[in-house]
Amino acid sequence: MTIPVDQLTDPAVRAFVAAVNAGDRAAFAGVLAPGATMSDDGSDRDLDQWAEKEIFSSGGHMDVESEQADGRALVVRYRNDTWGEMRTAWRFLVGDDGKVTRFETGQA
């Protein structure tokens, strides 16, 4: 069972997932704080390069299975055209301005 995007608890995380699923680069950029950072499987990556490869040019999509930590920790069935589908964990740090300052993802 998945949680509908519009029912995710944290507004910044909800906007992040919606932007990914819509393939909307502008909305994705709008959800991120200036200088936002990210890691994949424990390694820091260039956020722009990673997002282009893993989300936008490969049809990335997030089906949220569960959320914790007031909606800032998700377990997601993530799929894209490169890797297929995998179960992943996502953690988000959100600043006082409601923008994502960092996200970390990896195998769940």
Side-chain angles (χ1 to χ4, degrees):
M1 186 171 137
T2 61
I3 301 170
V5 175
D6 63 355
Q7 293 180 19
L8 294 172
T9 302
D10 187 275
V13 173
R14 184 168 57 241
F16 181 99
V17 174
V20 168
N21 289 353
D24 188 332
R25 287 175 174 86
F28 183 81
V31 121
L32 300 173
T37 61
M38 61 88 52
S39 71
D40 186 355
D41 284 328
S43 297
D44 276 17
R45 305 289 170 93
D46 178 282
L47 193 154
D48 293 331
Q49 288 177 0
W50 183 91
E52 182 57 35
K53 180 180 176 197
E54 301 294 341
I55 298 170
F56 299 113
S57 66
S58 61
H61 190 87
M62 302 173 79
D63 288 319
V64 179
E65 291 184 352
S66 64
E67 61 176 3
Q68 294 181 325
D70 296 322
R72 293 188 179 174
L74 306 178
V75 173
V76 172
R77 285 194 325 272
Y78 187 79
R79 68 180 180 273
N80 67 24
D81 298 338
T82 304
W83 306 108
E85 184 173 296
M86 65 194 88
R87 201 157 180 260
T88 56
W90 297 71
R91 299 209 184 293
F92 296 87
L93 297 176
V94 178
D96 293 338
D97 61 356
K99 304 273 188 186
V100 173
T101 59
R102 180 174 176 81
F103 66 93
E104 299 174 347
T105 184
Q107 301 266 350

